Amino acid sequence: MDRRKAVPGFVPCCLFLVLAVSAEVSERRHLYRKQSEVPLSCSEGFTELGYYNGSVSHTNSGSPCLKWTDFPDYMQQYPGRGLGDHSFCRNPDRETNPWCFFKQNSGAIGWAYCDCQNGAARLVGGSSGNSGRLEIYLNGKWGAVCDTHWTDRDASVICRQLGVSEIGTALQHSYFGPGSLFHYERLGCRGNENSLLECQSRKFVTSDCNHGNEAGVICAEPEGTRIPLRLVGGLEDFEGRIEVYHNGRWGTICDDQWDDTDAEVVCRQLGLGGVAKAWPWAHFGQGFGPILLDEVQCTGNELSLEECPHSNWEQHNCDHTEDAGVSCNSHTDGAVRLVGAESHQEGRVEIYYQGQWGSVCDDNWTELNAQVVCRQLGFRGRAEVAPDGVYEESHGLILLDEVQCQGTEASLLLCIHSEWGHHDCSHSEDVGVRCERDGDTKMIPSISPFTGPLVRLVAGESRKEGRVEVFINGQWGSVCDDGWNDVNAAVVCRQLGFIGAAKARSMAYFGEGRGPIHLDNVRCLGTEMYLGQCLTEGQDGHDCRHSEDAGVICDYTLDPVSDAAMAMQTCGLRLNNQRRRRRIIGGDKSLRGEWPWQVSLWLRSQSKGNHPLCGGSLINSCWVVTAAHCFKRFGRDPIRYTLRLGDYHTEEQDDFERTLSPDRIVIHRKYHSQGWEYDIALLRLKGTEGNCVAFNPHTGAVCLPEPGTKWEKRPAACVITGWGITDSEYSRTLLQAWVPLLPAWKCKKRYGDRFTSRMLCAGSLSEHHRVDSCQGDSGGPLVCQGEGGRWVLTGVISWGHGCGNPSFPGVYTRVSRFLQWIDKVINKPYKN
């Protein structure tokens, strides 16, 4: 069959598309002839007359099909053969295999056969059908997915597609062994799709993804107390309608009492950074399932949504017009995005300003402007202005007009433009652009030699700090810290538009990168405007690892100490909590100063190392609580030890960090080195009573339990902190991990008579959420949040079997059983 006859009347103004189809057909005719000779790939979905009537909507290469209504003459030519306002594959000409039209990367229209097995998934190498290495069928072959961008959202879609479970857990590093080849670099699912082909951000492998990086999946509903959450219906991964999973169903939350405090807890549980904002009235669209929760009223300190007060499950007076939404927005003013197109390389231009996205008017819009937008988004190929009306009109704000760029700017924000929100436009004038990657075309615009590569800051607590990454050869990569200093940091901050003081950070202070290491031995004079103007060694000349990634803090100032006086009169409060009130706790890494009572204990002879001997907790100005077994090997002579207060990164000097010497070590008299009973000790700091150490935003005391309190027996938000083991390595930055307190009978069942009433055990008993005291340090704190938002020292990290073994959770000294002993030692009576 000759498809050149199929589309002559497509759209008169788009004759070039018809020519492109003809060229595509003649160029690939031999390929399709060969395909038609293979056995039928779609064995189901055919009518008695031989017409395919199924729901496959992608070509055999995975491209989405175009709607048949885009080809009106073709529909008239073949009436009654299943063509309509849909994008399903069809064979109106009685081809053996169904086929469809699709849009190529160049913008031309092509056609291709559909393979009903394309996008099929299977799990290989697991002990059951519920787990294994993910393999996807594509172009006649099974291939793996790279784990670089692999998430639980992707895993959940795979599990749903396989009909195994609604919840999936993503595993990395070839957990189920290596495969033979890779198909996808990322799936980019939102989590509510029914199959991977519905995921809009799929990306085929374009760079090396080595064996050892195959993605794995475990399909199982979660154990424990945390209810799964997902965000649905947003344009970005960090926003959407909030849905919860309960009794095998996903459902929405009613927006009664829904506010930013509730949103903050959602963002925290999902591990998302940025500013938390609550959205009422189905801002991200109405849900379709049950309404599961109402009257949610979080205090803002909870680590997961189920800890917040709420109505009983499925008791509400709402409909889906009141579905609650959340955004965990990490964007800053001037960020841009492309929306309204199937490809992420094109779309309507939207810019972010003061918490809202808005479109840009096309008055005086040129290809120079388009080039700046594409460069800001990381594309290095040709940029062009899209024709009017190609993308759907916006329904929101119009934020910019009269934009005039020279073409060399690093972001659209640096171009001349009208005042924000001032325009004389309608949404029919929304501007759109198309971007190409370096290599998509031979027409590569040169980058201004005065600007050099783009620079960004990653994994900081705000947009003013983070690991330094530069964009070279189409990839973001880090900078080695050899020779890295405040002068280099000042140039980076200047390039990013900051004018205050700059502070250099080394030794992967903001975490290790995962891409290439682009630069090493950067040597700036301090007068440069861009990092690209500094002398440096390139990618082939470094001898670094990601443990040496460089970072910066821009607009650097010390935290205010005005609240220190208040800290002397209270306990269990984090002075940075108000300053970072809307900053989300992200993952296992804590924020600087977030746990001000955390103390690290070092052997004096090894104080220059990278990991402390033990942890501890400051309970007042002069006393630290830790574990007795910390002194089992090296004795209790205080001259052998030093203490660090206000520490965050073990190999970098932190703000407010102090190193002190203990004056006295007091070990409980009933502790014996051969056992684990009475595993508690006190360290006295040098100084006069009540004035040993001054408190500041990074140094403060934790509360002790109230005598006779029973609150720790009910579910509580409890956290362990320390520089513990992750992936068989000690962390250099302070870690945190949420752990549930477990009933005493469960601990007794696992440990027998070794577990006594003077102990607690805590941790996850799930195979899929392994967190216990390995993430902390011996002697370090287990703190639970009590009334008034104060954190209470509930346990001291003591012992356990293995690391992250769900059969043997971590064991802690129960602090409430030692209040009288602590009181006697420090001679400070409690107030009843």
Side-chain angles (χ1 to χ4, degrees), residues 443-466:
M443 299 176 61
I444 304 174
S446 60
I447 302 175
S448 167
F450 301 104
T451 63
L454 289 176
V455 174
R456 70 178 182 184
L457 303 181
V458 179
E461 295 177 14
S462 74
R463 69 184 186 90
K464 297 182 179 182
E465 62 178 54

Side-chain angles (χ1 to χ4, degrees), residues 444-583:
I444 304 174
S446 60
I447 302 175
S448 167
F450 301 104
T451 63
L454 289 176
V455 174
R456 70 178 182 184
L457 303 181
V458 179
E461 295 177 14
S462 74
R463 69 184 186 90
K464 297 182 179 182
E465 62 178 54
R467 181 176 64 253
V468 177
E469 293 191 351
V470 294
F471 193 85
I472 296 176
N473 295 329
Q475 285 184 294
W476 287 102
S478 55
V479 178
C480 184
D481 64 8
D482 291 344
W484 191 251
N485 57 31
D486 291 349
V487 175
N488 300 334
V491 175
V492 169
C493 295
R494 185 178 300 123
Q495 178 170 347
L496 293 172
F498 299 105
I499 59 176
K503 183 74 172 177
R505 292 296 190 190
S506 58
M507 304 300 291
Y509 189 88
F510 296 102
E512 297 183 6
R514 302 188 64 176
I517 298 175
H518 280 320
L519 301 177
D520 187 18
N521 286 309
V522 177
R523 300 182 298 280
C524 300
L525 299 175
T527 58
E528 298 88 348
M529 295 298 296
Y530 304 98
L531 189 65
Q533 296 172 319
C534 302
L535 296 176
T536 181
E537 292 181 12
Q539 187 171 2
D540 298 331
H542 74 80
D543 56 352
C544 306
R545 303 174 62 184
H546 280 298
S547 59
E548 302 169 77
D549 285 345
V552 302
I553 302 174
C554 301
D555 288 351
Y556 173 76
T557 57
L558 286 178
D559 291 336
V561 296
S562 57
D563 292 331
M566 179 195 73
M568 296 292 290
Q569 304 169 12
T570 188
C571 64
L573 296 180
R574 299 176 290 179
L575 298 185
N576 281 338
N577 200 40
Q578 291 302 312
R579 182 174 62 86
R580 297 191 179 108
R581 193 165 59 89
R582 288 285 172 247
R583 178 62 193 177

Side-chain angles (χ1 to χ4, degrees), residues 277-347:
K277 181 175 176 59
W279 297 91
W281 296 109
H283 181 83
F284 297 102
Q286 297 182 24
F288 303 100
I291 299 174
L292 292 177
L293 284 181
D294 191 12
E295 302 287 346
V296 178
Q297 299 181 61
C298 303
T299 65
N301 295 307
E302 298 86 352
L303 294 177
S304 56
L305 196 65
E306 74 273 7
E307 298 165 17
C308 304
H310 56 74
S311 63
N312 293 330
W313 289 98
E314 298 192 58
Q315 290 190 4
H316 62 86
N317 59 351
C318 310
D319 58 36
H320 281 300
T321 61
E322 300 171 81
D323 285 344
V326 168
S327 61
C328 313
N329 201 336
S330 58
H331 288 307
T332 55
D333 288 350
V336 294
R337 68 182 183 185
L338 303 180
V339 299
E342 292 183 353
S343 169
H344 67 286
Q345 296 183 216
E346 62 177 301

Side-chain angles (χ1 to χ4, degrees), residues 380-383 436-437 440-445:
R380 282 297 178 270
R382 187 168 61 90
E436 292 183 356
R437 296 184 181 278
D440 288 349
T441 174
K442 294 181 180 179
M443 299 176 61
I444 304 174

